[in-house]
C-alpha cells in the first residue's frame, strides 16, 4: 500500500523567502465547545521550526485578499494566490524545540522547551507569557504534570 496525505500545505515565511522546516507539531487546540474563547480551533496548529521559531497556522486559511463569509465576496480572487496558512511567527529558541505540548488543564496554554530554557505561550499572544531563566544543564525534554497541586 502507498501512503498518501489527505491534506498538504506549504508553510512559507511571512517575511522573506523560503519554506518553513518543521520539527514539532501541536494539533487539537479544541472546538467551539472545548476552547476557552468559544472558537472552533480544530484547523489551527502550533509548530516549531528547525531554526527555533514558533509558528501559529490555520489550514482553513483563505487566499490573501479574500474576505470572510460576513464581509463580502470570498471568490474575488482568480485562484492564483496561495492561501497564507501561517498566521504569525515568533522567535522561540536558538535551536529546534525539543518539546511542544498543550497544557492538560488549560487548553489555551502551550509549553515549548528548547536547549537551555522553556517558555509558556497563550493562544492569540505573539509573545510568550513566561520565559524561564537559563537552566544550568541542557534541557532534552519537557512534559506537563497531570497532577493538580493543592
Amino acid at each position: 500500500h502507498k501512503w498518501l496525505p489527505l491534506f498538504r500545505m506549504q508553510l512559507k515565511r511571512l517575511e522573506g523567502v523560503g519554506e518553513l522546516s518543521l520539527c514539532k507539531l501541536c494539533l487539537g487546540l479544541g472546538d467551539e465547545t472545548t476552547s476557552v474563547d468559544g472558537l472552533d480551533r480544530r484547523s489551527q496548529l502550533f509548530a516549531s521550526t528547525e531554526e527555533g521559531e514558533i509558528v501559529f497556522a490555520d489550514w482553513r486559511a483563505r487566499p490573501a485578499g479574500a474576505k470572510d463569509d460576513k464581509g463580502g465576496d470570498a471568490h474575488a480572487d482568480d485562484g492564483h494566490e496561495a492561501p497564507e496558512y501561517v498566521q504569525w511567527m515568533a522567535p522561540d529558541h536558538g535551536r529546534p524545540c525539543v518539546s511542544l505540548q498543550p497544557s492538560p488543564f488549560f487548553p489555551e496554554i502551550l509549553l515549548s522547551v528548547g536547549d537551555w530554557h522553556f517558555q509558556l505561550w497563550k493562544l492569540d499572544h505573539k509573545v510568550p507569557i513566561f520565559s524561564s531563566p537559563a537552566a544550568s544543564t541542557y534541557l532534552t525534554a519537557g512534559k506537563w504534570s497531570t497532577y493538580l497541586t493543592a
Side-chain angles (χ1 to χ4, degrees):
H1 294 274
K2 185 177 179 181
W3 183 87
L4 295 172
L6 295 176
F7 186 78
R8 180 174 63 176
M9 64 181 173
Q10 287 183 309
L11 298 179
K12 297 186 177 190
R13 295 190 172 281
L14 291 175
E15 298 171 359
V17 179
E19 294 180 4
L20 297 170
S21 298
L22 305 181
C23 60
K24 297 288 180 189
L25 186 66
C26 181
L27 298 168
L29 301 177
D31 61 18
E32 60 273 357
T33 61
T34 59
S35 68
V36 175
D37 53 12
L39 296 175
D40 185 357
R41 296 189 177 276
R42 290 177 291 184
S43 66
Q44 297 175 341
L45 60 99
F46 272 103
S48 65
T49 69
E50 290 181 351
E51 292 81 24
E53 299 154 316
I54 193 159
V55 176
F56 183 70
D58 189 339
W59 68 58
R60 287 189 290 191
R62 297 185 181 275
K67 296 188 175 22
D68 61 13
D69 294 335
K70 301 172 191 170
D73 187 10
H75 305 289
D77 68 327
D78 57 359
H80 291 7
E81 288 197 44
E84 293 181 6
Y85 298 113
V86 175
Q87 305 298 303
W88 58 264
M89 294 175 57
D92 191 23
H93 302 286
R95 297 192 45 199
C97 180
V98 296
S99 183
L100 190 64
Q101 291 189 334
S103 167
F105 304 109
F106 304 101
E108 73 277 9
I109 304 294
L110 187 82
L111 167 71
S112 71
V113 180
D115 292 342
W116 301 101
H117 68 280
F118 69 91
Q119 299 193 111
L120 298 179
W121 296 83
K122 188 172 181 181
L123 286 175
D124 299 327
H125 284 69
K126 297 179 183 179
V127 294
I129 58 172
F130 177 80
S131 293
S132 74
S136 59
T137 59
Y138 185 77
L139 303 178
T140 58
K143 187 163 178 73
W144 290 96
S145 172
T146 56
Y147 297 102
L148 284 175
T149 57

